[in-house]
Amino acid sequence: MKTLILATDNQDKVHEIREILKDLPIAVLSKAQAGMSYIEVVEDAQTLEGNAEIKARSIKEKAPEAIVLADDTGLYVDALDGAPGVHTARYAGENCSYQDNRRKLLNALKDLPLEERSARFVTCIVIIDEMGILHLAEGVCEGMISEEERGERGFGFDPVFIPKDYDKTFAEMDGQIKNSISHRARALDALLELLERMCK
Amino acid sequence: MKTLILATDNQDKVHEIREILKDLPIAVLSKAQAGMSYIEVVEDAQTLEGNAEIKARSIKEKAPEAIVLADDTGLYVDALDGAPGVHTARYAGENCSYQDNRRKLLNALKDLPLEERSARFVTCIVIIDEMGILHLAEGVCEGMISEEERGERGFGFDPVFIPKDYDKTFAEMDGQIKNSISHRARALDALLELLERMCK
């Protein structure tokens, strides 16, 4: 069985990606499980794509024969001119918690009516295959920012993001439903056929 | 039959890429043949990869359903700390000729013995497929810069580049041989299996 190394130690992402890829005959390892937690990267690109590539290449350099997958995700809020965007993970500052981020966001949108709270999650996924070819796909999930936190599931901004055509936040939804419509699922979906071929 | 649009009107590149892909059941169109010569791009990225991506996306934006291929190539000369590198096409200035470029290079390396004239050609190829997934591969050809121009074939720096293990410049070689060892051929080779599947 082949091995796919995820260029992350974010347990929430690892869990979600594993869940989405669970039917593929490939062993999915986190950065730590691959013994690569020592690799530190500066995610200083101006785009999600650039940051995903920086993370993927940092692992590929040390494991040239592995298949590597990196993800970078941003939340783009229209009323904030697209912020937090590429800075989503550290919106409330370096080493801030998910909750710090959510509080800052709800505060920035305080008193805005629902129709002005439109936003989208965007995920860029980069896979570098065994031959060194890089593959990149993007997944988008449109929605809006809720007026308060709701739900306990998911992670990050999930408790304040209501996907389009739904009335629950991602954090209130069953994981299976979230994983069928989310930005991350859509990006991975686009790459699934490629990944299937790589498993052979 | 599907269509592959090349994000270039450089006839030399179009000819060479067509030759390398001639066995694939896909119609290879230049930017002009696809009616897209009006699209102008500023290739201001800091990397070959970035510039290839800029070119590919500029076409994909106007032809979302097409398969698009862009190439960016650099010549990296060790004695010049990697110059002309990402600026290879415009080494001797905007709108300079191939010959202006070669003259400037031979001049910069004047009196350097052969063993200090090592260099490599690098090509980055970006393909964006019908689903919008971007695929990127790199091809490298090691060699050295000759002491004077030799040969009439090829284009660009071909008359001054001697690939490793050969004693002729690219411009002295039969096109078929060049196209079996060149940077561009190697990058395309890596992507050939993907392209074959896209043709189905």
Side-chain angles (χ1 to χ4, degrees):
Chain A
M1 192 185 273
K2 294 197 182 172
T3 298
L4 177 72
I5 303 178
L6 304 183
T8 184
D9 276 334
N10 177 323
Q11 285 310 306
D12 298 306
K13 280 194 189 179
V14 170
H15 180 77
E16 195 170 298
I17 294 171
R18 253 202 202 120
E19 191 57 31
I20 298 171
L21 300 181
K22 67 177 189 290
D23 293 331
L24 285 183
I26 195 164
V28 178
L29 299 187
S30 70
K31 199 168 154 182
Q33 288 172 318
M36 294 195 177
S37 289
Y38 69 94
I39 300 175
E40 291 193 12
V41 290
V42 183
E43 299 178 33
D44 58 358
Q46 298 304 304
T47 58
L48 298 178
E49 180 181 334
N51 283 329
E53 189 176 339
I54 288 172
K55 288 185 268 192
R57 290 207 187 277
S58 73
I59 302 290
K60 186 71 180 176
E61 215 171 89
K62 305 289 179 184
E65 279 157 38
I67 305 170
V68 177
L69 186 153
D71 148 309
D72 205 48
T73 294
L75 176 63
Y76 294 79
V77 179
D78 293 322
L80 304 176
D81 291 328
V86 74
H87 304 297
T88 294
R90 48 188 187 283
Y91 182 44
E94 289 298 330
N95 303 315
C96 61
S97 70
Y98 291 149
Q99 194 165 46
D100 296 337
N101 276 337
R102 293 193 299 258
R103 278 190 189 144
K104 181 171 172 182
L105 180 63
L106 290 181
N107 207 41
L109 300 181
K110 216 175 152 187
D111 301 329
L112 267 191
L114 261 185
E115 62 271 22
E116 291 175 36
R117 303 173 77 90
S118 61
R120 65 203 51 77
F121 263 126
V122 182
T123 288
C124 273
I125 301 242
V126 162
I127 294 176
I128 308 182
D129 67 20
E130 292 164 296
M131 312 219 341
I133 305 176
L134 181 151
H135 311 272
L136 183 147
E138 194 181 273
V140 180
C141 185
E142 298 282 345
M144 60 174 65
I145 305 302
S146 59
E147 289 174 305
E148 71 290 306
E149 299 197 12
R150 282 168 15 206
E152 304 291 332
R153 296 187 181 117
F155 63 99
F157 287 93
D158 285 355
V160 297
F161 186 82
I162 305 168
K164 194 165 168 265
D165 300 329
Y166 290 80
D167 55 9
K168 290 179 175 172
T169 67
F170 268 153
E172 290 177 306
M173 285 183 174
D174 182 89
Q176 262 188 306
I177 297 178
K178 179 190 167 191
N179 285 342
S180 69
I181 61 167
S182 80
H183 43 298
R184 187 166 292 113
R186 283 174 179 156
L188 279 169
D189 245 21
L191 293 165
L192 216 52
E193 205 190 312
L194 260 172
L195 273 169
E196 273 167 9
R197 280 197 301 263
M198 288 178 205
C199 290
K200 282 175 188 162
Chain B
M1 194 187 271
K2 294 197 181 173
T3 298
L4 177 72
I5 303 177
L6 304 183
T8 184
D9 275 334
N10 177 323
Q11 287 309 308
D12 297 307
K13 280 194 190 180
V14 171
H15 179 78
E16 196 170 298
I17 294 171
R18 252 201 202 122
E19 191 58 31
I20 297 172
L21 300 181
K22 68 176 188 289
D23 293 331
L24 285 184
I26 195 164
V28 179
L29 299 187
S30 70
K31 201 168 152 180
Q33 288 172 318
M36 295 197 178
S37 289
Y38 69 95
I39 300 175
E40 292 193 11
V41 291
V42 184
E43 299 178 32
D44 58 358
Q46 297 306 303
T47 58
L48 299 178
E49 180 180 334
N51 283 329
E53 189 176 338
I54 287 172
K55 289 185 267 192
R57 290 207 187 276
S58 72
I59 301 291
K60 186 71 180 175
E61 217 171 87
K62 305 287 179 187
E65 277 156 40
I67 305 170
V68 177
L69 186 152
D71 148 307
D72 206 48
T73 294
L75 176 64
Y76 295 79
V77 179
D78 292 322
L80 304 176
D81 291 328
V86 75
H87 305 295
T88 294
R90 49 189 186 281
Y91 180 43
E94 290 299 329
N95 303 316
C96 60
S97 71
Y98 291 150
Q99 194 165 46
D100 296 338
N101 275 336
R102 294 192 298 260
R103 278 190 189 143
K104 181 171 173 183
L105 180 64
L106 290 181
N107 207 40
L109 299 181
K110 215 175 153 188
D111 302 328
L112 267 190
L114 261 185
E115 63 271 21
E116 291 174 36
R117 302 173 77 90
S118 61
R120 66 203 50 78
F121 262 127
V122 181
T123 288
C124 272
I125 301 240
V126 162
I127 294 176
I128 308 183
D129 67 22
E130 291 163 296
M131 313 223 334
I133 305 176
L134 181 150
H135 310 272
L136 183 147
E138 194 180 275
V140 180
C141 185
E142 299 282 344
M144 60 174 67
I145 305 302
S146 60
E147 289 174 305
E148 72 288 308
E149 300 197 13
R150 282 166 18 204
E152 303 293 332
R153 297 189 181 113
F155 63 101
F157 287 93
D158 285 356
V160 297
F161 186 82
I162 305 168
K164 193 163 169 269
D165 300 330
Y166 289 80
D167 55 10
K168 289 180 176 170
T169 67
F170 268 153
E172 290 176 307
M173 285 183 174
D174 181 88
Q176 261 188 307
I177 296 178
K178 179 193 165 191
N179 285 342
S180 69
I181 61 166
S182 80
H183 42 299
R184 186 166 292 111
R186 283 174 178 156
L188 279 169
D189 245 22
L191 293 164
L192 217 50
E193 206 190 311
L194 260 172
L195 274 169
E196 274 167 9
R197 278 196 303 261
M198 288 179 205
C199 292
K200 281 177 189 160

